[in-house]
Amino acid sequence: MLDQIPLEHILLLSAALFTIGILAVITKRHAVVVLMGIELIFNAANLNLVAFSRHDPVLMQGQMFSLFVILVAAAEAAVALAIVLRVYQHFKTANLNQIVTKEG
């Protein structure tokens, strides 16, 4: 099915996902929304890897690297959510602007 879709359309979709992810990371201050933005960035990179790997279907290097990125993203999401839960327990907020640490 991927052969029927032009590469330009896939790259435009990937650029849109990447842009939405960057905007979420930069503009939002809720920790979970920032994590979702990071996941969108990872998904945009995976889409590019799979789209470009169709040019060399024998080696499948893009699919294998994409699988590795998905595994790293899953581990990152689990660790990041655990950190967000601990921060919420300590500071009683998930808003990144309201988290204040003691200096000195």
Side-chain angles (χ1 to χ4, degrees):
M1 174 153 171
L2 193 58
D3 291 333
Q4 299 171 357
I5 303 172
L7 182 62
E8 293 81 19
H9 293 140
I10 298 171
L11 295 179
L12 284 174
L13 176 62
S14 178
L17 284 175
F18 187 81
T19 303
I20 293 169
I22 289 291
L23 288 174
V25 169
I26 292 173
T27 60
K28 302 299 181 183
R29 293 297 148 220
H30 196 275
V32 176
V33 177
V34 171
L35 291 175
M36 288 191 309
I38 293 171
E39 291 297 323
L40 281 175
I41 293 170
F42 279 141
N43 287 331
N46 283 335
L47 191 57
N48 275 340
L49 288 170
V50 172
F52 283 119
S53 71
R54 76 176 179 175
H55 291 290
D56 194 7
V58 176
L59 295 178
M60 293 180 36
Q61 293 173 345
Q63 284 95 344
M64 297 307 287
F65 192 66
S66 179
L67 181 63
F68 178 73
V69 171
I70 290 170
L71 292 173
V72 169
E76 172 262 337
V79 170
L81 284 175
I83 291 171
V84 168
L85 285 174
R86 294 296 293 168
V87 167
Y88 183 79
Q89 287 176 348
H90 187 268
F91 293 106
K92 304 295 185 233
T93 185
N95 190 339
L96 298 176
N97 288 336
Q98 296 175 351
I99 296 174
V100 179
T101 60
K102 294 181 181 178
E103 299 285 329

Coordinates of all heavy atoms in Angstrom, one line a residue:
M1 N 0.8 -1.2 0.0 CA 0.0 0.0 0.0 C 0.9 1.3 0.0 O 0.5 2.3 -0.5 CB -0.9 0.0 1.2 CG -1.7 1.2 1.4 SD -3.2 1.0 2.2 CE -3.7 2.6 2.4
L2 N 2.0 1.2 0.6 CA 2.9 2.3 0.7 C 3.4 2.7 -0.7 O 3.7 3.9 -0.9 CB 4.1 2.1 1.6 CG 4.9 3.2 2.1 CD1 4.1 4.3 2.8 CD2 6.0 2.8 3.0
D3 N 3.5 1.8 -1.6 CA 4.0 2.0 -3.0 C 3.0 2.9 -3.7 O 3.3 3.5 -4.7 CB 4.2 0.8 -3.7 CG 5.4 0.0 -3.2 OD1 6.3 0.7 -2.6 OD2 5.5 -1.2 -3.3
Q4 N 1.7 2.9 -3.4 CA 0.7 3.6 -4.1 C 0.7 5.1 -3.7 O 0.2 5.9 -4.4 CB -0.7 3.0 -3.8 CG -0.8 1.6 -4.3 CD -2.1 1.0 -3.8 OE1 -2.9 1.6 -3.1 NE2 -2.3 -0.3 -4.2
I5 N 1.2 5.4 -2.5 CA 1.2 6.8 -2.0 C 2.5 7.5 -2.4 O 3.6 6.9 -2.2 CB 1.1 6.8 -0.5 CG1 -0.2 6.1 -0.1 CG2 1.1 8.3 0.0 CD1 -0.3 5.9 1.4
P6 N 2.5 8.6 -3.1 CA 3.7 9.3 -3.5 C 4.5 9.7 -2.2 O 4.0 10.0 -1.2 CB 3.2 10.5 -4.2 CG 1.8 10.3 -4.6 CD 1.3 9.3 -3.5
L7 N 5.8 9.7 -2.4 CA 6.8 10.0 -1.3 C 6.5 11.4 -0.8 O 6.6 11.7 0.4 CB 8.2 9.8 -1.8 CG 9.3 10.1 -0.8 CD1 9.2 9.1 0.4 CD2 10.7 10.0 -1.4
E8 N 6.2 12.3 -1.7 CA 6.0 13.7 -1.3 C 4.8 13.9 -0.3 O 4.9 14.6 0.7 CB 5.7 14.6 -2.5 CG 6.8 14.8 -3.5 CD 7.0 13.6 -4.4 OE1 6.0 12.8 -4.6 OE2 8.1 13.4 -5.0
H9 N 3.8 13.1 -0.5 CA 2.6 13.1 0.5 C 3.0 12.6 1.8 O 2.6 13.1 2.9 CB 1.4 12.3 -0.1 CG 0.8 12.9 -1.3 ND1 0.4 12.2 -2.4 CD2 0.6 14.2 -1.6 CE1 -0.1 13.0 -3.3 NE2 0.1 14.2 -2.9
I10 N 3.8 11.6 1.8 CA 4.3 11.0 3.1 C 5.2 12.0 3.8 O 5.1 12.2 5.0 CB 5.0 9.7 2.9 CG1 4.0 8.6 2.3 CG2 5.6 9.1 4.2 CD1 4.7 7.4 1.8
L11 N 6.0 12.7 3.1 CA 6.9 13.6 3.7 C 6.2 14.9 4.2 O 6.5 15.4 5.2 CB 8.0 14.0 2.7 CG 9.0 13.0 2.3 CD1 10.0 13.5 1.3 CD2 9.7 12.4 3.5
L12 N 5.1 15.3 3.5 CA 4.3 16.4 4.0 C 3.6 16.0 5.3 O 3.5 16.8 6.2 CB 3.3 16.8 2.9 CG 3.8 17.6 1.8 CD1 2.8 17.8 0.7 CD2 4.4 18.9 2.3
L13 N 3.1 14.8 5.3 CA 2.4 14.3 6.6 C 3.4 14.3 7.7 O 3.1 14.7 8.8 CB 1.8 12.9 6.4 CG 1.2 12.3 7.6 CD1 0.0 13.1 8.1 CD2 0.7 10.9 7.3
S14 N 4.6 13.8 7.4 CA 5.7 13.7 8.4 C 6.1 15.1 8.9 O 6.2 15.4 10.1 CB 6.9 13.0 7.9 OG 7.9 13.0 8.8
A15 N 6.2 16.1 8.0 CA 6.5 17.4 8.4 C 5.4 18.0 9.2 O 5.7 18.8 10.2 CB 6.7 18.3 7.1
A16 N 4.1 17.7 8.9 CA 3.0 18.3 9.7 C 3.0 17.7 11.1 O 2.8 18.4 12.1 CB 1.7 17.9 9.0
L17 N 3.3 16.4 11.2 CA 3.4 15.8 12.6 C 4.5 16.4 13.4 O 4.4 16.6 14.5 CB 3.6 14.2 12.4 CG 2.4 13.4 12.1 CD1 2.8 12.0 11.8 CD2 1.4 13.5 13.1
F18 N 5.7 16.6 12.7 CA 6.8 17.2 13.4 C 6.5 18.6 13.8 O 6.9 18.9 15.0 CB 8.0 17.1 12.4 CG 9.3 17.6 13.1 CD1 10.0 16.7 13.8 CD2 9.8 18.8 13.0 CE1 11.2 17.0 14.5 CE2 11.0 19.2 13.6 CZ 11.7 18.3 14.3
T19 N 5.9 19.4 13.0 CA 5.5 20.7 13.3 C 4.6 20.8 14.5 O 4.7 21.6 15.4 CB 4.9 21.5 12.1 OG1 5.9 21.4 11.1 CG2 4.6 22.9 12.4
I20 N 3.6 19.9 14.5 CA 2.6 19.9 15.6 C 3.3 19.5 16.9 O 3.1 20.0 18.0 CB 1.4 18.9 15.3 CG1 0.6 19.5 14.1 CG2 0.6 18.7 16.5 CD1 -0.4 18.5 13.6
G21 N 4.2 18.5 16.8 CA 5.0 18.1 18.0 C 5.9 19.2 18.5 O 5.9 19.4 19.7
I22 N 6.6 19.9 17.7 CA 7.4 21.0 18.1 C 6.6 22.1 18.7 O 6.9 22.7 19.8 CB 8.2 21.6 16.9 CG1 9.3 20.6 16.5 CG2 8.8 22.9 17.3 CD1 10.4 20.4 17.5
L23 N 5.4 22.4 18.1 CA 4.6 23.5 18.7 C 4.0 23.0 20.1 O 3.9 23.9 21.0 CB 3.4 23.8 17.8 CG 3.7 24.6 16.5 CD1 2.5 24.7 15.6 CD2 4.3 25.9 16.9
A24 N 3.7 21.8 20.2 CA 3.2 21.3 21.5 C 4.3 21.4 22.6 O 4.1 21.8 23.7 CB 2.7 19.9 21.4
V25 N 5.5 21.1 22.2 CA 6.6 21.1 23.2 C 7.0 22.5 23.6 O 7.2 22.9 24.7 CB 7.9 20.4 22.6 CG1 9.1 20.7 23.5 CG2 7.7 18.9 22.5
I26 N 6.9 23.5 22.6 CA 7.3 24.8 22.9 C 6.2 25.6 23.6 O 6.5 26.4 24.5 CB 7.7 25.5 21.5 CG1 9.0 24.9 21.0 CG2 7.9 27.0 21.7 CD1 9.4 25.4 19.6
T27 N 5.0 25.5 23.2 CA 3.9 26.3 23.7 C 3.2 25.8 24.9 O 2.7 26.6 25.7 CB 2.9 26.6 22.6 OG1 2.3 25.4 22.2 CG2 3.5 27.3 21.4
K28 N 3.1 24.5 25.1 CA 2.3 24.0 26.2 C 3.2 23.8 27.4 O 4.4 23.6 27.3 CB 1.7 22.6 25.8 CG 0.8 22.7 24.6 CD -0.4 23.6 24.8 CE -1.3 23.6 23.6 NZ -2.4 24.5 23.7
R29 N 2.5 24.0 28.6 CA 3.3 23.9 29.8 C 2.8 22.7 30.7 O 3.4 22.5 31.8 CB 3.1 25.2 30.6 CG 3.7 26.3 30.0 CD 5.2 26.1 29.9 NE 5.8 26.8 28.7 CZ 6.7 26.2 28.0 NH1 7.2 25.1 28.2 NH2 7.1 26.9 26.9
H30 N 1.9 21.9 30.2 CA 1.5 20.7 31.0 C 2.4 19.6 30.6 O 2.7 19.4 29.4 CB 0.0 20.4 30.7 CG -0.6 19.4 31.7 ND1 -0.4 18.1 31.5 CD2 -1.3 19.6 32.8 CE1 -1.0 17.5 32.5 NE2 -1.6 18.4 33.3
A31 N 2.9 18.9 31.6 CA 4.0 17.9 31.3 C 3.5 16.8 30.4 O 4.3 16.3 29.6 CB 4.4 17.3 32.7
V32 N 2.3 16.3 30.5 CA 1.8 15.2 29.7 C 1.6 15.7 28.3 O 1.9 14.9 27.3 CB 0.4 14.7 30.3 CG1 -0.1 13.6 29.4 CG2 0.6 14.2 31.7
V33 N 1.2 16.9 28.0 CA 1.1 17.4 26.7 C 2.5 17.6 26.0 O 2.6 17.3 24.8 CB 0.3 18.8 26.7 CG1 0.3 19.4 25.3 CG2 -1.1 18.6 27.2
V34 N 3.5 18.0 26.8 CA 4.8 18.0 26.3 C 5.3 16.7 25.9 O 6.0 16.5 24.8 CB 5.8 18.7 27.3 CG1 7.2 18.6 26.9 CG2 5.4 20.2 27.5
L35 N 5.0 15.6 26.7 CA 5.4 14.3 26.4 C 4.7 13.8 25.1 O 5.3 13.1 24.3 CB 5.1 13.3 27.5 CG 5.9 13.5 28.8 CD1 5.4 12.6 29.9 CD2 7.4 13.2 28.5
M36 N 3.4 14.2 24.9 CA 2.7 13.8 23.7 C 3.4 14.5 22.5 O 3.5 13.9 21.4 CB 1.3 14.2 23.8 CG 0.5 13.3 24.7 SD -1.3 13.5 24.7 CE -1.6 15.2 24.8
G37 N 3.8 15.7 22.6 CA 4.5 16.4 21.6 C 5.8 15.7 21.2 O 6.2 15.6 20.0
I38 N 6.5 15.2 22.2 CA 7.8 14.5 21.9 C 7.5 13.2 21.2 O 8.2 12.8 20.2 CB 8.5 14.2 23.2 CG1 9.1 15.5 23.8 CG2 9.7 13.2 23.0 CD1 9.6 15.4 25.2
E39 N 6.4 12.5 21.5 CA 6.0 11.3 20.8 C 5.6 11.6 19.4 O 5.9 10.8 18.5 CB 4.8 10.6 21.6 CG 5.2 10.0 22.9 CD 6.2 8.9 22.8 OE1 6.1 8.1 21.9 OE2 7.1 8.9 23.7
L40 N 5.0 12.7 19.1 CA 4.6 13.1 17.7 C 5.9 13.3 16.9 O 6.0 12.9 15.7 CB 3.8 14.4 17.7 CG 2.3 14.2 18.0 CD1 1.6 15.5 18.0 CD2 1.7 13.3 16.9
I41 N 6.9 13.9 17.5 CA 8.2 14.1 16.9 C 8.8 12.7 16.5 O 9.3 12.5 15.4 CB 9.2 14.9 17.7 CG1 8.6 16.4 17.8 CG2 10.6 14.9 17.1 CD1 9.3 17.2 18.9
F42 N 8.8 11.8 17.5 CA 9.3 10.4 17.2 C 8.5 9.8 16.1 O 9.1 9.1 15.2 CB 9.2 9.5 18.4 CG 10.3 9.8 19.4 CD1 10.1 9.7 20.8 CD2 11.6 9.9 19.0 CE1 11.1 9.9 21.7 CE2 12.7 10.1 19.9 CZ 12.4 10.1 21.2
N43 N 7.2 9.9 16.1 CA 6.4 9.3 15.0 C 6.7 9.9 13.6 O 6.7 9.2 12.6 CB 4.9 9.4 15.3 CG 4.5 8.5 16.5 OD1 5.1 7.4 16.6 ND2 3.5 8.9 17.2
A44 N 7.0 11.2 13.6 CA 7.3 11.8 12.3 C 8.7 11.3 11.8 O 8.8 11.0 10.6 CB 7.4 13.4 12.5
A45 N 9.6 11.1 12.7 CA 10.9 10.5 12.3 C 10.7 9.0 11.8 O 11.3 8.6 10.8 CB 11.9 10.5 13.4
N46 N 9.8 8.3 12.5 CA 9.6 6.9 12.1 C 8.9 6.9 10.7 O 9.2 6.0 9.9 CB 8.7 6.2 13.1 CG 9.4 5.8 14.3 OD1 10.7 5.6 14.3 ND2 8.7 5.6 15.4
L47 N 8.0 7.8 10.5 CA 7.3 7.8 9.2 C 8.3 8.1 8.0 O 8.3 7.5 7.0 CB 6.2 8.9 9.2 CG 5.3 8.9 8.0 CD1 4.6 7.5 7.9 CD2 4.2 10.0 8.2
N48 N 9.3 9.0 8.3 CA 10.3 9.2 7.3 C 11.2 8.0 7.1 O 11.6 7.7 5.9 CB 11.2 10.4 7.8 CG 10.6 11.7 7.4 OD1 9.8 11.8 6.5 ND2 11.1 12.8 8.0
L49 N 11.6 7.3 8.1 CA 12.4 6.2 8.0 C 11.8 5.1 7.2 O 12.4 4.5 6.3 CB 12.8 5.6 9.4 CG 13.7 6.4 10.2 CD1 13.8 5.9 11.6 CD2 15.1 6.4 9.6
V50 N 10.5 4.8 7.4 CA 9.8 3.8 6.7 C 9.6 4.2 5.2 O 9.7 3.4 4.3 CB 8.5 3.4 7.4 CG1 7.6 2.5 6.5 CG2 8.7 2.8 8.7
A51 N 9.3 5.5 5.0 CA 9.0 6.0 3.7 C 10.3 5.9 2.8 O 10.2 5.5 1.6 CB 8.5 7.5 3.7
F52 N 11.4 6.3 3.4 CA 12.6 6.2 2.6 C 13.2 4.8 2.4 O 13.9 4.5 1.5 CB 13.7 7.1 3.2 CG 13.5 8.6 2.9 CD1 13.3 9.5 3.9 CD2 13.5 9.0 1.6 CE1 13.1 10.8 3.6 CE2 13.3 10.4 1.3 CZ 13.1 11.3 2.3
S53 N 12.8 3.9 3.3 CA 13.3 2.5 3.2 C 12.7 1.8 2.1 O 13.2 0.7 1.7 CB 13.1 1.8 4.6 OG 11.7 1.5 4.7
R54 N 11.6 2.3 1.6 CA 11.0 1.6 0.4 C 11.8 1.7 -0.8 O 11.6 0.9 -1.8 CB 9.6 2.1 0.2 CG 9.5 3.4 -0.5 CD 8.1 3.8 -0.8 NE 8.1 5.1 -1.5 CZ 7.0 5.6 -2.0 NH1 5.8 5.0 -1.8 NH2 7.0 6.8 -2.5
H55 N 12.8 2.5 -0.8 CA 13.7 2.6 -2.0 C 14.7 1.5 -2.0 O 15.3 1.2 -3.1 CB 14.4 4.0 -2.0 CG 13.5 5.1 -2.3 ND1 13.0 5.3 -3.5 CD2 13.1 6.1 -1.5 CE1 12.2 6.4 -3.4 NE2 12.3 6.9 -2.2
D56 N 14.9 0.8 -0.9 CA 15.8 -0.4 -0.8 C 15.0 -1.5 0.0 O 15.3 -1.7 1.1 CB 17.1 0.0 -0.1 CG 18.1 -1.1 -0.3 OD1 17.9 -2.0 -1.1 OD2 19.2 -1.0 0.3
P57 N 14.1 -2.1 -0.7 CA 13.2 -3.1 0.1 C 13.9 -4.4 0.5 O 13.4 -5.1 1.3 CB 12.1 -3.4 -0.9 CG 12.6 -3.1 -2.3 CD 13.7 -2.0 -2.1
V58 N 15.1 -4.6 -0.1 CA 15.8 -5.9 0.3 C 16.5 -5.8 1.7 O 16.4 -6.7 2.5 CB 16.9 -6.2 -0.8 CG1 17.7 -7.4 -0.4 CG2 16.2 -6.4 -2.1
L59 N 17.1 -4.6 1.9 CA 17.8 -4.5 3.2 C 16.9 -4.2 4.4 O 17.2 -4.5 5.5 CB 18.9 -3.4 3.0 CG 20.0 -3.8 2.0 CD1 21.0 -2.6 1.9 CD2 20.7 -5.1 2.4
M60 N 15.9 -3.5 4.2 CA 14.9 -3.1 5.3 C 15.6 -2.4 6.4 O 15.2 -2.5 7.6 CB 14.2 -4.3 5.7 CG 13.2 -4.9 4.7 SD 12.3 -6.3 5.2 CE 11.9 -6.0 6.9
Q61 N 16.6 -1.6 6.2 CA 17.3 -0.9 7.2 C 16.4 0.2 7.9 O 16.5 0.4 9.1 CB 18.6 -0.2 6.7 CG 19.6 -1.2 6.3 CD 20.8 -0.5 5.6 OE1 20.7 0.6 5.2 NE2 21.9 -1.3 5.5
G62 N 15.6 0.9 7.1 CA 14.7 1.9 7.7 C 13.7 1.3 8.6 O 13.4 1.8 9.7
Q63 N 13.1 0.1 8.3 CA 12.1 -0.5 9.2 C 12.8 -1.0 10.4 O 12.2 -0.9 11.5 CB 11.5 -1.7 8.5 CG 10.4 -1.3 7.5 CD 11.0 -1.3 6.1 OE1 12.2 -1.3 5.8 NE2 10.1 -1.3 5.1
M64 N 14.0 -1.5 10.4 CA 14.7 -2.0 11.6 C 15.0 -0.8 12.5 O 14.9 -0.9 13.7 CB 15.9 -2.8 11.2 CG 15.6 -4.0 10.4 SD 14.4 -5.1 11.2 CE 15.4 -5.7 12.5
F65 N 15.5 0.3 11.9 CA 15.8 1.4 12.7 C 14.6 2.1 13.3 O 14.6 2.5 14.4 CB 16.6 2.5 11.9 CG 17.2 3.5 12.7 CD1 18.3 3.2 13.6 CD2 16.8 4.8 12.6 CE1 18.8 4.2 14.4 CE2 17.4 5.8 13.4 CZ 18.4 5.5 14.3
S66 N 13.5 2.0 12.5 CA 12.2 2.5 13.0 C 11.7 1.7 14.2 O 11.2 2.2 15.2 CB 11.2 2.5 11.9 OG 9.9 3.0 12.4
L67 N 11.9 0.4 14.1 CA 11.5 -0.5 15.3 C 12.3 -0.1 16.5 O 11.8 -0.1 17.6 CB 11.7 -1.9 14.9 CG 11.3 -3.0 15.9 CD1 9.8 -2.9 16.2 CD2 11.7 -4.3 15.5
F68 N 13.6 0.2 16.3 CA 14.5 0.6 17.4 C 14.0 1.9 18.0 O 13.9 2.0 19.3 CB 15.9 0.7 17.0 CG 16.8 1.1 18.0 CD1 17.2 0.3 19.1 CD2 17.4 2.4 18.0 CE1 18.1 0.7 20.1 CE2 18.2 2.8 19.0 CZ 18.6 2.0 20.0
V69 N 13.6 2.8 17.2 CA 13.1 4.1 17.7 C 11.8 3.9 18.4 O 11.6 4.6 19.5 CB 13.0 5.1 16.5 CG1 12.2 6.4 17.0 CG2 14.3 5.5 15.9
I70 N 10.9 3.1 18.0 CA 9.7 2.8 18.7 C 9.9 2.2 20.1 O 9.3 2.6 21.0 CB 8.8 1.9 17.8 CG1 8.3 2.6 16.6 CG2 7.6 1.3 18.7 CD1 7.6 1.7 15.6
L71 N 10.9 1.3 20.2 CA 11.2 0.7 21.5 C 11.8 1.7 22.4 O 11.4 1.8 23.6 CB 12.2 -0.4 21.3 CG 11.7 -1.7 20.6 CD1 12.8 -2.7 20.3 CD2 10.6 -2.3 21.4
V72 N 12.7 2.6 21.9 CA 13.2 3.7 22.7 C 12.1 4.6 23.2 O 12.1 5.1 24.3 CB 14.4 4.4 22.0 CG1 14.8 5.7 22.7 CG2 15.6 3.5 21.8
A73 N 11.2 5.0 22.3 CA 10.1 5.9 22.6 C 9.2 5.3 23.7 O 8.7 6.0 24.5 CB 9.3 6.2 21.4
A74 N 9.0 4.0 23.6 CA 8.1 3.3 24.6 C 8.8 3.4 26.0 O 8.1 3.7 27.0 CB 7.8 1.9 24.2
A75 N 10.1 3.1 26.0 CA 10.8 3.2 27.3 C 10.9 4.6 27.8 O 10.7 4.8 29.0 CB 12.2 2.6 27.1
E76 N 11.0 5.5 26.9 CA 11.1 7.0 27.3 C 9.7 7.4 27.9 O 9.7 8.1 28.9 CB 11.5 7.8 26.1 CG 11.3 9.3 26.3 CD 10.0 9.9 25.8 OE1 9.4 9.3 24.9 OE2 9.6 10.9 26.3
A77 N 8.7 6.9 27.3 CA 7.3 7.3 27.7 C 7.1 6.7 29.1 O 6.5 7.4 30.0 CB 6.3 6.8 26.8
A78 N 7.5 5.5 29.4 CA 7.3 4.9 30.7 C 8.1 5.6 31.8 O 7.5 5.9 32.8 CB 7.7 3.4 30.6
V79 N 9.3 5.9 31.5 CA 10.2 6.6 32.4 C 9.7 8.0 32.7 O 9.6 8.5 33.8 CB 11.6 6.6 32.0 CG1 12.5 7.5 32.9 CG2 12.2 5.2 32.0
A80 N 9.3 8.7 31.6 CA 8.8 10.1 31.7 C 7.5 10.2 32.5 O 7.3 11.1 33.3 CB 8.7 10.7 30.3
L81 N 6.6 9.3 32.2 CA 5.4 9.3 33.0 C 5.6 9.0 34.5 O 4.9 9.6 35.4 CB 4.4 8.3 32.4 CG 3.7 8.7 31.1 CD1 2.8 7.6 30.6 CD2 2.9 10.0 31.4
A82 N 6.5 8.1 34.8 CA 6.9 7.8 36.2 C 7.5 9.1 36.8 O 7.1 9.4 38.0 CB 7.9 6.7 36.3
I83 N 8.3 9.8 36.1 CA 8.9 11.1 36.6 C 7.8 12.1 36.8 O 7.7 12.8 37.9 CB 10.0 11.6 35.7 CG1 11.2 10.7 35.8 CG2 10.3 13.0 36.1 CD1 12.2 11.0 34.7
V84 N 6.8 12.2 35.9 CA 5.7 13.2 36.0 C 4.9 12.8 37.2 O 4.4 13.7 38.0 CB 4.9 13.2 34.7 CG1 3.6 13.9 34.9 CG2 5.6 13.8 33.6
L85 N 4.6 11.5 37.5 CA 3.9 11.2 38.7 C 4.6 11.5 40.0 O 3.9 12.0 40.9 CB 3.6 9.7 38.6 CG 2.5 9.2 37.7 CD1 2.4 7.7 37.6 CD2 1.2 9.8 38.0
R86 N 5.9 11.3 40.0 CA 6.6 11.7 41.2 C 6.6 13.2 41.4 O 6.5 13.7 42.5 CB 8.1 11.2 41.1 CG 8.2 9.7 41.2 CD 7.7 9.1 42.5 NE 8.6 9.5 43.5 CZ 8.3 9.4 44.8 NH1 7.2 8.9 45.2 NH2 9.2 9.8 45.7
V87 N 6.8 14.0 40.3 CA 6.8 15.4 40.4 C 5.4 15.9 40.9 O 5.3 16.8 41.7 CB 7.2 16.1 39.0 CG1 6.9 17.5 39.0 CG2 8.6 15.8 38.8
Y88 N 4.4 15.3 40.3 CA 3.0 15.7 40.8 C 2.8 15.4 42.2 O 2.2 16.2 43.0 CB 2.0 14.9 39.9 CG 0.6 15.4 40.3 CD1 0.0 16.6 39.8 CD2 -0.2 14.6 41.1 CE1 -1.2 17.0 40.2 CE2 -1.5 15.0 41.4 CZ -2.0 16.2 41.0 OH -3.3 16.6 41.3
Q89 N 3.3 14.2 42.7 CA 3.2 13.9 44.1 C 3.9 14.9 45.0 O 3.4 15.3 46.1 CB 3.7 12.5 44.4 CG 2.8 11.4 43.9 CD 3.4 10.0 44.2 OE1 4.6 9.9 44.5 NE2 2.6 9.0 44.0
H90 N 5.0 15.4 44.6 CA 5.8 16.3 45.4 C 5.3 17.7 45.3 O 5.2 18.4 46.3 CB 7.3 16.2 44.9 CG 8.2 17.0 45.8 ND1 8.5 18.3 45.5 CD2 8.8 16.7 47.0 CE1 9.4 18.8 46.5 NE2 9.5 17.8 47.4
F91 N 5.0 18.2 44.1 CA 4.7 19.6 43.9 C 3.2 19.9 43.8 O 2.7 21.0 43.7 CB 5.4 20.2 42.6 CG 6.8 20.3 42.8 CD1 7.7 19.4 42.1 CD2 7.4 21.3 43.5 CE1 9.0 19.5 42.2 CE2 8.8 21.4 43.7 CZ 9.6 20.5 43.0
K92 N 2.4 18.8 43.7 CA 0.9 18.9 43.5 C 0.5 19.6 42.3 O -0.6 20.2 42.2 CB 0.3 19.5 44.7 CG 0.6 18.8 46.0 CD 0.0 17.5 46.1 CE 0.2 16.8 47.5 NZ 0.9 15.6 47.4
T93 N 1.3 19.6 41.2 CA 1.0 20.2 39.9 C 1.7 19.5 38.8 O 2.8 19.0 39.1 CB 1.2 21.7 39.9 OG1 0.8 22.2 38.7 CG2 2.7 22.0 40.1
A94 N 1.1 19.5 37.6 CA 1.9 19.0 36.5 C 2.2 20.1 35.5 O 2.7 19.9 34.4 CB 1.0 17.9 35.8
N95 N 1.9 21.3 35.9 CA 2.2 22.5 35.1 C 3.7 22.8 35.3 O 4.2 23.0 36.4 CB 1.4 23.7 35.5 CG 1.5 24.9 34.6 OD1 2.5 25.0 33.8 ND2 0.5 25.7 34.6
L96 N 4.5 22.8 34.2 CA 5.9 23.0 34.2 C 6.3 24.4 34.7 O 7.4 24.5 35.3 CB 6.5 22.7 32.9 CG 6.3 21.3 32.3 CD1 6.9 21.2 30.9 CD2 6.9 20.3 33.3
N97 N 5.5 25.4 34.6 CA 5.8 26.7 35.0 C 5.7 26.9 36.5 O 6.2 27.8 37.1 CB 4.9 27.8 34.4 CG 5.3 28.0 32.9 OD1 6.4 27.7 32.5 ND2 4.3 28.4 32.1
Q98 N 4.9 26.0 37.2 CA 4.6 26.2 38.6 C 5.5 25.3 39.5 O 5.5 25.4 40.7 CB 3.2 25.8 38.9 CG 2.2 26.7 38.3 CD 0.7 26.3 38.5 OE1 0.5 25.2 39.0 NE2 -0.2 27.1 38.1
I99 N 6.4 24.5 38.8 CA 7.3 23.7 39.6 C 8.5 24.6 40.0 O 9.2 25.1 39.1 CB 7.8 22.5 38.8 CG1 6.6 21.6 38.5 CG2 8.9 21.7 39.5 CD1 6.9 20.5 37.5
V100 N 8.7 24.7 41.3 CA 9.8 25.6 41.8 C 10.7 24.8 42.7 O 10.2 24.0 43.5 CB 9.2 26.8 42.6 CG1 10.3 27.6 43.2 CG2 8.2 27.5 41.8
T101 N 12.0 24.9 42.4 CA 12.9 24.1 43.2 C 13.6 25.1 44.2 O 13.7 26.3 44.0 CB 14.0 23.5 42.4 OG1 14.7 24.5 41.6 CG2 13.4 22.5 41.4
K102 N 14.0 24.6 45.3 CA 14.7 25.4 46.3 C 16.2 25.7 45.9 O 16.9 24.8 45.6 CB 14.7 24.8 47.7 CG 13.3 24.7 48.2 CD 13.3 24.0 49.6 CE 11.9 23.9 50.1 NZ 11.8 23.2 51.4
E103 N 16.6 26.9 45.8 CA 17.9 27.3 45.5 C 18.8 27.1 46.7 O 18.5 27.5 47.8 CB 18.0 28.8 45.0 CG 17.1 29.0 43.8 CD 17.7 28.5 42.5 OE1 19.0 28.4 42.4 OE2 17.0 28.1 41.6
G104 N 20.0 26.6 46.5 CA 21.0 26.5 47.5 C 20.7 25.4 48.4 O 20.7 24.7 49.1

